[in-house]
Every structure is written in C-alpha cells, then in structure tokens.
Amino acid sequence: MKKIVLCLFTLFLVQQIHAQTDSAAIAALGLPVLSIQTVNGEMPTCDFIWAPEGEFGIGTTNRTKVPGRAILTEGDSTLYDSGEYEDGMSGMTIRIRGNTSAYYSLKKPYKIKLEVKGDMLGRNNELYNDKNWVLLDQGGDQLNAAVGFKLNEILQLGDWTPAYRYVNLIFNGNYHGVYMLAESVKRNTKARLNVDTDGYIIERDAYWWNEPVYVSSGENKKFTFKYPDEDNITTEKQEEAKQFIDQMETAIASGTYEDCIDVQSFATWLLANDILGVGDAAGTNIFMLKRNVSAKIQMATLWDFDADYKTENQWSQIHQNNQLFYFPALLNSTNRTFAAHYKSLWQNHGQSIINQLCTFLNEFRESSVAQGLRQSRPLDGAIWNYPPDKVDDNIDNTLNWFTNRKQWLDAQIEVIDTGATSMTAIRQEQHSAQLFTLSGQRVTTKNPAPGIYIRNGKKYVIH
C-alpha cells in the first residue's frame, strides 16, 4: 500500500512539474532559477567510448555544443542574462561534460561557455568575469561538493576555491532538477588560478586516452593540460612539461624532491583526501600548477567529490595508490620531510580543520539554501525517478563521519615515523661538531641552517 501511495505521489509531482515549469513556480522552491533556452530547443548530445585495454572508464565523444541563452534569477531579481545567442557577441553554448559519470547518469552534467566574459553567479563585480562555467549534478546526493569546496577554502589549496550557487534548472521550458552552477578550474589571473603566461596547469588524468593532447612521463603516468589549452599548446610547451614532470619523478625517487615540488601543498592535498576519505583514486581530478617556468610544482584546487566518505577506517585511495600518483613514494622516501609536513599539518591544525567543517555544516542546516534544497530535492527525485536523500540526514551523517574520522586519523598519523627529532631538541644538542650534511660535510655551528643532517648515523630534519 505504501508503495502505491509513493508511486501516486511521484506521478502527481511529475505532473505538477510539467504543468508549472515557469520561473515563478520553480522560484517558489527557494533556490535561484537558471533558465536555459537553446536555439530551436535543441538538446546537447554525445556518444560514449570505452577505455582501451588496461585503462579506466568510459569517455564522451562527439559532444555537440548547442547555442542559446542563459538567465539566472532569484525571486524577482535577474542576477545574470547572457542575452540571445550571437556568435562572439552574446549568449552561450552548452555541452555535456564528464566521462563515466555522464554515461551512468540520465541527468547529465554540463559545461557552459559564454560568448562574452561575465559572472554567471551574479556577484556584480567584473573581477569574476569568465567564459567558462559548469553545471554539476547536485540533486539528491550528499552535500559532497559544498563540503569539499569548504575544505579547500580552509586549506587554501591553489589559493582559490570555486564559487558556486545551488540552482533549479529549467532547460528549454522543462524542469531539469537541482544543479550546482560553479566556476570551472582554469587560468584566470584575477579570480581563479593565478598562473603566469609561461606557467602550467596540468592534470594527472585517468582519461588521458580520450584527450587530443597529453604527455607521458618516465614512469608512464599521463598528464593533460588545462593551461595552455589544447588549442594553444605547442610541441615545445609539451616537451617542457614532460621535462619538468620527469625531473619531479627523478627527484621523488632520489629523495631530493624539495628542489622541485612545494612540499606543503602536496602534504595539504593528501591530508584533504584523507579527511574526506576519498575512495576514487583513478577518477579523482588531480590538478597541479606551476605558476611560472621557474616555480616549483604545487598541488592545485580540490575537485570531484563524488567518492568522498568511502574509505572508513582506511586511508584514502590516493594515499595508497602508487600507480596513479606519488604520495606513497613521498611518504616512504628516505627523505622524511614530506612525512614530517603531513604529520605536523594534522597535529597542529587537524582539530581546527574538523571544527570548521562541522561549524559550516551546522550553519548550513539553518540556511535558506538548505531550505531550498529540502523543497527542491523531492521534485528532482520525481523527475529523475530516484528517492532523494534528506538534507538533514546528509548533514548528520557527515558530522558523524568527521567525528569518527578525527579519531581514526589521530591514531594513524601519530605513528607515522618522520625520522627526525624536533627542531628544538636538535638545536639543544651540545655536540654539533658530530652533525654532518648529507654530502658528508661536518657542520660546526651550534645553530645549523634548515635542512637534512646526519649525526651518529641518524637522520635529522631542521625546518
């Protein structure tokens, strides 16, 4: 009987959605409304291809870019209007984005490209103008992206966190569900990733086989480019990227990695994944940047939170997966600097990080955005035929995760061997003449410079 009632209620909701898809009706749900109307009502399409043997995933191909107009409203206010489509003058194009997730989900994620730079989030500030925006499916699942972006903001990875708004999407006159309208990962020196013209934004990409331009490292790891993009990258730039990636791999293997990577950002990025318990090592977007040709490589902004909270009482997959990335090699290196940074970061800031995330969730519970999601998710579930999660259940489950995760990380990180005594203890040693550099030179000062030293056969790290 309950199933019959549920089916009838779902049918009623769907009928109501189709009967009332005007902006005013959807706006009453409490979230901003993004209305997209394409030329001739055309919908974007794509085909799918399977990964070659030995690789991962399902990729998209033959993606159509459909021109149209996008308008973002909140109540009676218009926050953004791209105008009618006119090539190079106004409007936008929209296409399907993503790979395996786009294949399995009927509700597709999208990429929007404006013909003229603007701020689709309606902040009324030219600083945020850009052409590239994304629509992420954030209908009835956990609040993963919101929490992930908050963590990135706390940790300041890449010195930029994507801004976003939850929206209800009306696509060619039909209600399309709840999405997150967000800034995309790209170079924008004013408002996104600040990289010089001779710098790079690269991705350790599991879907490299579906990209027209990539480089392969000495360890046969594949990297694609966010900057320069595929239309502008030269053969010389590709070779330069391969060279600094190979140098990084050699330095990690030899324990001299501090010369070419920003250790703190690498340790911070790994800790973020361990806090979130990310279970996807292959599909997670791993962005790195090199601000200019002379700069060290550093980890960039966190992205892709679909697989958060999956490794209960385990490290994140990226913590363990040496085939995909370099964290196991860094953690196990004879140079214990990376391990020391990782451990110190948690011991000095872990409690504060968790507390800030919990505060964010508790404040989000009382927000108008949460209320808008409560009212919108049932309609999203009805139109896409799934039972949506309750917002408050998401919040409670995530708070419980952080409580348990903190205890687990406390225990696991405590036993990580950094291979060094504290700086204070080292500086208090009275027999500094027995201290040697790794090259075998005796250090005679009682206050040696920061570095890695050996005394009586034991390695010390001085920060």
Side-chain angles (χ1 to χ4, degrees), residues 55-299:
E55 297 300 332
F56 169 85
I58 301 169
T60 54
T61 188
N62 298 328
R63 293 176 293 197
T64 60
K65 293 196 297 185
V66 181
R69 180 180 188 175
I71 303 175
L72 181 69
T73 58
E74 188 170 30
D76 296 329
S77 301
T78 298
L79 303 179
Y80 175 79
D81 185 350
S82 71
E84 297 290 349
Y85 178 78
E86 186 177 351
D87 188 14
M89 298 295 292
S90 62
M92 56 95 219
T93 57
I94 184 169
R95 66 168 177 81
I96 293 171
R97 70 179 298 276
N99 289 289
T100 303
S101 58
Y103 174 77
Y104 283 109
S105 177
L106 291 175
K107 183 184 176 187
K108 306 302 183 190
Y110 297 101
K111 178 178 179 179
I112 294 172
K113 186 169 185 178
L114 304 178
E115 290 300 294
V116 177
K117 289 181 179 181
D119 179 21
M120 287 197 71
L121 299 180
R123 289 165 289 184
N124 196 30
N125 187 333
E126 291 184 359
L127 175 71
Y128 303 114
N129 287 356
D130 202 283
K131 286 188 175 183
N132 294 277
W133 303 84
V134 294
L135 280 170
L136 308 176
D137 174 12
Q138 293 292 302
D141 59 358
Q142 297 277 343
L143 303 169
N144 291 22
V147 174
F149 287 148
K150 182 61 182 181
L151 178 57
N152 193 90
E153 177 188 308
I154 294 168
L155 298 176
Q156 299 182 331
L157 279 161
D159 297 325
W160 165 73
T161 297
Y164 64 87
R165 281 180 183 265
Y166 284 101
V167 300
N168 275 309
L169 176 63
I170 297 177
F171 206 152
N172 288 332
N174 294 315
Y175 179 67
H176 221 64
V178 179
Y179 281 82
M180 178 180 278
L181 173 63
E183 296 174 325
S184 64
V185 176
K186 69 179 294 289
R187 177 180 181 263
N188 182 322
T189 57
K190 295 180 180 179
R192 299 188 187 180
L193 290 175
N194 186 4
V195 175
D196 294 345
T197 54
D198 64 341
Y200 292 85
I201 305 170
I202 60 175
E203 178 181 359
R204 172 66 179 106
D205 195 347
Y207 294 93
W208 63 270
W209 48 269
N210 197 32
E211 295 293 334
V213 179
Y214 66 89
V215 295
S216 181
S217 74
E219 294 184 6
N220 200 32
K221 292 179 170 64
K222 306 296 196 299
F223 294 83
T224 58
F225 295 87
K226 299 294 286 186
Y227 180 81
D229 62 32
E230 62 189 58
D231 295 329
N232 297 309
I233 191 165
T234 62
T235 302
E236 290 75 20
K237 293 292 283 184
Q238 292 179 56
E239 183 56 37
E240 185 176 66
K242 175 175 169 52
Q243 184 176 23
F244 72 67
I245 293 168
D246 286 345
Q247 289 173 346
M248 176 182 68
E249 289 184 344
T250 300
I252 290 173
S254 66
T256 59
Y257 51 80
E258 292 167 275
D259 295 336
C260 60
I261 71 168
D262 181 81
V263 176
Q264 187 70 8
S265 76
F266 273 67
T268 303
W269 200 95
L270 176 59
L271 181 61
N273 277 255
D274 283 333
I275 288 173
L276 295 174
V278 180
D280 185 357
T284 297
N285 295 95
I286 306 172
F287 294 114
M288 297 184 290
L289 60 83
K290 192 173 172 66
R291 295 199 186 275
N292 55 62
V293 71
S294 301
K296 293 182 179 181
I297 301 169
Q298 68 182 82
M299 298 304 295

Side-chain angles (χ1 to χ4, degrees), residues 258 337 420-423 426-427 435 447-453 460-463:
E258 292 167 275
T337 302
T421 59
S422 69
M423 180 176 67
I426 294 173
R427 295 192 188 283
L435 201 64
N447 292 291
I452 303 172
Y453 300 89
Y460 296 88
V461 179
I462 301 179
H463 297 290

